Amino acid sequence: MPQTLILVESPNKARKLQEYLGAGYRVRASMGHICDLPEKDYGVDLETFEERYELRHDKLVRELRPLVAQAERVLLASDPDREGEAIAWHLARELRLPLTAPQRIEFREITRGAVAKAVAAPRPIDLARVDAQRSRRVIDRIVGWDVSQELCWPAGARSAGRVQTPALHILCVREREILAFEAQVYWTVGVTYAEGFQAVVPGEAGRRDGGTAGGDAEEHGADTAEESSPAVPPSRRPARFATREEAEAIVEAARPHPHVVQDVARRRTPKRPEPPYTTSTMQQDASRKLRLSAKQAADLAQQLFEAGYITYHRTDSTRVADDAVAMAREHIGREHPAALPATPPAQRVKAGAQDAHEAIRPTRLAGDDAPPPAAARLYAMIKARFLASQSKPALIERTSVAIQAGPVPFAAEGAVLVEEGYLVYWRPWARQEDTLLPALAVGQTLGVETYAVEEKKTTPPPRYDTGALIKKLESSGIGRPSTFASIIETLLRREYVQEIAAGRGKKVLQPTAFGLQVDALLADAMPPLVSEEYTAAMEAELDRLEAGDGAGRRAFLESWYREFRAALAASLPRAAAYRAEHGLRASRRPSGGNAEETKIVCDRCGEANYRKIQRKKAKGSFLACPACRMTRNVRAAVKPGACPRCGSALIERKGKKKGSKPFFGCVRWGAEERACDYVEWAGGRDGGTAAGSPRGPDDSPASQPTPAVPPSRREETDKTCPKCGAAKLVVLHPGEGASGAAAAPFYACDDRGCRFTLPVGARRRREPCPQCGGIVLERRRRDGGAFWACARYPACKYSADLAKAFPPAAPGAAGP
């Protein structure tokens, strides 16, 4: 019997739709994007700007074609955004469905009513929306390919991108502000009263104003919660005194006098709830309150949407449908009638929002007690935010007290919650209010317990955490709700940025030295690419293309490409000059462009992680270092620090001919500096030449009349490895090399998987690593120069100049 066939992206979504629609429908998952641009080739015709797509799921398409032929009608139910429209377009083309037929359905919540309404009103595929997505994909490919090939690869960098590059620039600008920041010391004066509260000398009494320091979070718009209290007035902030003597003079001036209350001001202020979540605000709160990455929040929200618990989670709108408002009011009136306002709160429309979808909210408020376990906390927060947005404001009573002690003023401020209002739902995620002040009267004399003169320092601007960066990207017009998580993941995957601990379980984004170098190169060579305005203007053009405005997709791309190539051509001389000035050189890009990042550190240089490369004409893959060009098999055995000539690692290798015996060769064979050709074969024939040397009949390295090398002598120690913190260190005494000279002894971790080595006698710094608290050791560069480096490298990449760093330990404290 013919059925209606409905194609969706995921199995979870398919199961939910099948449950709602019943036997007359067949719902099948189609696995998202079935086509994309080729991974290894450009894939764009620069004359016509037509793409050459590759089919990624040909087996799935072969399975779907008979189902399409048997079905009475086919409906495409991908997500309601540009990506979803493009997925439907690709499906229609590959399954030979007419593009103008009414076959596209969309719903912003997976509920029985919303699904039934969508199935009853299919529409044709929106080709303007498809054109916008196709144009974005083409621009991203051209920018990523051309800029990477012409600017990044010659300098040893990995890649650039239309969106990732300005996002990286935002982080690098903040990092340079932090590096250039010079802390200023100041003192504050406070007093503790017997009545149970504290006061400070306010800002106008100090020689410096009482405003925030140059590095305070409020000034830099960093990690501040949306529901935070209003900023403290300047008159209530502590005065900043330039010297301790000035601060103590204030104390001495106040000490002989009674502390008399001059004024008590009380005011009640309503505190309005925030609107329901958009994609950006949800990811910000998921980062700050739940400690989730942007990708984790996006994935969990996708689970909740597909399971029917929330409305569509990629939105920039705070609008809520009328039936959802009625549902919330009925729920609040039943649970907490005191928090229900007389009329629904006015809906706030965010400037510049596309407003294509509702805000993120629960689809129902009854029977919602079993969301997917991994997403339960996120769902609880989304639900609380929605109910809070439809509740009364909270009522806060703020009290300000002015106190006079002779010529010296003091001030205190506190607050108390009078009516909970929306906080009945939002309190678990809200910041706490200030401490309540005791009942005070004008003219009252207070009992002084102690004075306090405190030394403080101004702080640098804070690094962005995930939530703060998303807020900055949104306000700058960089990216769209569906791209925020992928932007941050790309920066982390490329190792341009790392997440570091910032206390209290919080993590912040810090550009690596590599990321700062790439940003400086691109900012110097091609400034428009790193600017927020360039990317924001591009997003606006894509929005207009989606709306059907302008001259059309091809004319738009032709105009953009002319300007882009002109800017890129002008950047090439500047990039060459920058490379020459900073000594940057190209690193060999893995052939085929099919490199996969790994977390395995290069056995030779230790400066980069291997990339996993798929072999062209053979099965399997190999590892390649982008920095020193070292290659080895993925599963090759490694002997850390086992080379008796130079102390480097030995890697298992095998001859090219079938049946060749495996052997171990030094990782420094073929290196540009300090090359070593030591090898050893199975069966005890040691001391020959490395894999590139003349070979015997069996294609193994030919025997050489090199003197036999005695095995390394191993000496146990009671020292714990400073890198892994688990195994003990041993001292290896290599035997004589080919020249007859004995190599210097060195420490090595007893756990071969750790790979820690250190020459005996290397100095240890007194002060711990400022980033992770680990041990800081003296290391040597290839040119013989020395520097300080954290023993936990590469997990911690702290390093410092030897001359400018803290003084080393005493001579007797050398080594780990």
Side-chain angles (χ1 to χ4, degrees), residues 10 44 86 112 201 242 264 288 294 303 351 383 414 431 492 499 502 509 557 571-572 596 627 645 677 767 784:
S10 69
V44 178
R112 194 179 300 275
V201 175
V264 179
R288 294 177 182 136
Q303 291 182 28
K383 179 179 178 180
R431 288 188 176 182
L492 292 169
E499 273 194 317
L509 300 170
L557 289 175
S571 74
L572 296 180
E596 176 186 343
R645 292 185 185 172
D677 62 358
E767 288 74 12

Side-chain angles (χ1 to χ4, degrees), residues 763 765 776-779 781 785-789 798-808:
R763 293 181 296 174
R765 200 174 75 182
V776 179
L777 300 170
E778 180 186 16
R779 293 290 193 178
R781 299 188 182 91
F787 64 102
W788 294 118
Y798 171 77
S799 65
D801 187 88
L802 194 66
K804 298 179 181 178
F806 297 104

Side-chain angles (χ1 to χ4, degrees), residues 555-568:
F556 161 66
L557 289 175
E558 287 175 345
S559 174
W560 168 81
Y561 186 68
R562 283 193 300 271
E563 296 177 2
F564 168 73
R565 284 306 309 180
L568 185 57

Side-chain angles (χ1 to χ4, degrees), residues 241-261:
F241 298 94
T243 65
R244 176 181 289 276
E245 290 73 17
E246 290 182 28
E248 290 177 344
I250 291 291
V251 173
E252 293 306 315
R255 198 184 298 276
H257 302 281
H259 288 236
V260 180
V261 176

